[in-house]
């Protein structure tokens, strides 16, 4: 894995690459040719227009497949701005770019200096040199926001936003749809520019979730009737889950195959968190074949595992989508089930893991572990980091080890141990998995340990990430 500096280059492997910028930022992309100018609206990728040939945006992750870019495209420039347009970049953490290959391997990371007066930042560009595609770290910005961006890329910018009809169907204009012509002369952006008033411009921001629409063909009634029969409470439709289900069903239909991860390298769980739905637990049905929601529900009720997911009393929300593969005519279905994340729910899950761990120690005649705030803080931060940056290892991308993270959180314990796990849906499932693994079991049953901290986060390729941090 390479740590890039401004101006640093990295040859890219064949196939699609993903670039991700976690944090309170909007990610967008500009697709240009050698002249550095967009051709029109279709060359601007942002949250309200998330795809173009060879480029697709999911939340904070942009996937670029260079051979599939439009004819004449030789450069994709990655742009970041504050998700909240009223917050200057200087008040946010420096954005960090993570570059991943098609095989899931982290290729590079780039953290520019914290912006000062800049309001829009060009973070990196993927470009073609000869027959090879490369990535260049930029870290250059504009103090005059979209006005500076417009001058360099030939994007048209509105002086004043036009009134748009209120309602869920209203579409925020992209800069390429605006009315005022941009300057023609290309310029090379510098790290800082003199600040001057920028035009009042509606830069894309994440919209509030829309109210859920009625379930297609009685899906919700069928599901809640089956749940009532099993003694489970009803679920409610959630528009964010439906949007994630639609994105994943579309990805599976495009590839012509089922899978937790789509051909764009994005997992169904990452699609959920990209919509803004933070979950404590999540379940999914990925199915092809049924022609109606009634057939889909009937299919799920026939198998033991699919039936258990549909009946699971822990879930409170659901979303359904289906997309037809135009080549084969097969219908690809995604149903998502989730329970939202809250601080109280997280605390309950952490307590359950501690209680189950101490139950195992009691069976072995060992004293219970006491919860330790620094260990808890370090464990929680590490689970969240693994989910956010899509890695799974006891060694972080920066090379830190469990004892480093414990010390950074303020722990003074002399001896540190760590268990991690991913994919398990409940405290009982994760503790059971650890107890069935010799190395993890040894940590849980180590007599010398006296304290514990537990972390959990949803998201990432695996869906859930758990951490136990032990101390003595």
């Amino acid at each position: 894995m390479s740590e890039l500096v401004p101006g640093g280059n990295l040859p890219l492997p064949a196939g699609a690459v993903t670039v991700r910028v976690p944090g309170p930022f909007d990610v967008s992309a500009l697709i240009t040719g050698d002249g550095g100018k967009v051709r029109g609206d279709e060359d601007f990728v942002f949250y309200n227009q998330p795809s173009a040939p060879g480029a697709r945006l999911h939340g904070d992750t942009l996937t670029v497949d260079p051979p599939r870019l439009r004819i004449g495209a030789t450069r994709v420039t990655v742009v970041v701005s504050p998700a909240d347009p009223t917050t200057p970049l200087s008040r946010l953490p420096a954005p960090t770019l993570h570059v991943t290959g098609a095989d899931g391997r982290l290729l590079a990371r780039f953290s520019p200096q914290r912006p000062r007066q800049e309001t829009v930042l060009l973070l990196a560009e993927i470009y073609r040199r000869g027959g090879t595609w490369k990535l260049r770290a930029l870290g250059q910005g504009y103090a005059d926001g979209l006005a500076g961006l417009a001058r360099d890329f030939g994007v048209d910018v509105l002086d004043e936003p036009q009134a748009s009809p209120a309602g869920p169907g209203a579409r925020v204009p992209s800069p390429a749809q605006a009315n005022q012509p941009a300057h023609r002369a290309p310029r090379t952006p510098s790290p800082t520019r003199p600040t001057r008033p920028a035009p009042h411009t509606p830069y894309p921001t994440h919209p509030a979730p829309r109210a859920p629409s009625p379930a297609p063909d009685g899906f919700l009634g069928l599901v809640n009737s089956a749940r009532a029969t099993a003694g489970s409470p009803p679920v409610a439709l959630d528009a964010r889950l439906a949007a994630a289900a639609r994105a994943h069903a579309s990805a599976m239909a495009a590839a012509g195959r089922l899978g937790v991860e789509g051909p764009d390298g994005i997992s169904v769980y990452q699609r959920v968190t990209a919509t803004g739905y933070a979950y404590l637990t999540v379940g999914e049905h990925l199915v092809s074949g049924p022609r109606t929601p009634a057939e889909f529900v009937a299919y799920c009720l026939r198998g033991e595992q699919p039936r258990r997911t549909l009946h699971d009393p822990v879930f409170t929300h659901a979303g359904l989508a289906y997309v037809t593969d135009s080549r084969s005519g097969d219908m690809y279905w995604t149903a998502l089930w989730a329970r939202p994340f809250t601080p109280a729910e997280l605390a309950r899950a952490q307590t359950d893991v501690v209680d189950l761990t101490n139950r195992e120690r009691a069976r072995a005649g060992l004293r219970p572990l006491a919860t330790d705030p620094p260990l808890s803080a370090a464990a929680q931060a590490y689970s969240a980091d693994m989910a956010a940056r899509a890695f799974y290892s006891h060694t972080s991308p920066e090379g830190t080890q469990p004892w480093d993270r414990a010390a950074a959180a303020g722990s003074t314990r002399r001896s540190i141990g760590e268990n991690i796990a991913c994919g398990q849906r409940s405290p009982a499932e994760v503790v059971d998995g650890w107890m069935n693994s010799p190395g993890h079991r040894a940590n849980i049953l180590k007599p010398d340990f006296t304290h514990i901290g537990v972390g959990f986060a949803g998201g990432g390729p695996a869906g859930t990430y758990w951490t136990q941090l032990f101390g003595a």
Side-chain angles (χ1 to χ4, degrees), residues 25-27 47 59 83 204-208 274:
F25 306 103
D26 268 328
V27 180
Y47 87 89
T205 57
H206 295 295

Side-chain angles (χ1 to χ4, degrees), residues 12-272:
L12 295 176
V17 296
T18 61
V19 293
R20 180 169 180 269
V21 186
F25 306 103
D26 268 328
V27 180
S28 52
L30 293 156
I31 301 170
T32 62
D34 289 333
K37 300 291 187 180
V38 297
R39 297 197 310 187
D41 186 41
E42 68 278 4
D43 282 347
F44 188 73
V45 178
F46 68 113
Y47 87 89
N48 211 28
Q49 183 173 281
S51 64
R56 179 173 291 275
L57 179 67
H58 291 281
D60 60 8
T61 302
L62 176 72
T63 301
V64 178
D65 192 350
R68 295 187 179 182
L69 293 170
R70 66 161 172 83
I71 295 175
T74 59
R75 186 185 305 168
V76 179
T77 303
V78 181
V79 181
V80 295
S81 63
D84 178 358
T86 65
T87 302
L89 281 173
S90 60
R91 292 178 54 188
L92 299 175
T96 299
L97 182 80
H98 305 272
V99 186
T100 305
D103 59 358
R105 182 171 59 92
L106 185 64
L107 302 175
R109 205 167 66 100
F110 172 54
S111 296
Q113 291 184 348
R114 182 190 298 272
R116 296 181 180 177
Q117 65 263 48
E118 297 89 349
T119 55
V120 173
L121 196 66
L122 307 184
L123 201 53
E125 64 180 5
I126 295 171
Y127 68 99
R128 187 173 65 197
R129 179 63 54 85
T132 303
W133 285 89
K134 298 182 177 182
L135 181 135
R136 178 185 292 119
L138 298 177
Q140 300 166 333
Y142 298 91
D144 49 358
L146 285 181
L149 192 75
R151 287 193 300 271
D152 286 350
F153 289 89
V155 178
D156 290 336
V157 180
L158 282 170
D159 269 334
E160 293 292 337
Q162 297 178 345
S164 59
R171 185 175 184 272
V172 178
S174 73
Q177 293 175 308
N179 300 324
Q180 188 175 358
H183 293 275
R184 300 296 178 189
R187 298 173 61 187
T188 301
S190 60
T192 59
R193 293 186 175 181
T195 303
R196 66 174 179 82
H200 181 60
T201 310
Y203 197 76
T205 57
H206 295 295
R210 297 177 182 174
S213 57
D217 301 329
F219 167 74
L220 189 62
L222 292 166
V223 164
N224 282 335
S225 175
R227 288 174 65 86
T229 300
S232 298
V235 293
L237 291 177
D238 186 275
R240 296 162 294 181
L241 294 179
R246 190 176 305 111
H248 199 70
S250 297
M252 293 192 301
R257 60 179 175 82
L258 299 173
V260 169
E261 185 176 285
D264 52 7
I266 308 299
S267 77
V268 67
Y269 316 114
Q270 290 169 301
R271 299 188 204 280
V272 172

Side-chain angles (χ1 to χ4, degrees), residues 357-358 361-362 364-370 444 446-451 471-472:
T357 298
N358 281 333
R361 288 177 64 88
L366 300 172
R367 59 182 175 178
L369 302 173
I444 289 175
K446 186 173 181 178
D448 293 345
F449 286 143
T450 56
H451 290 79

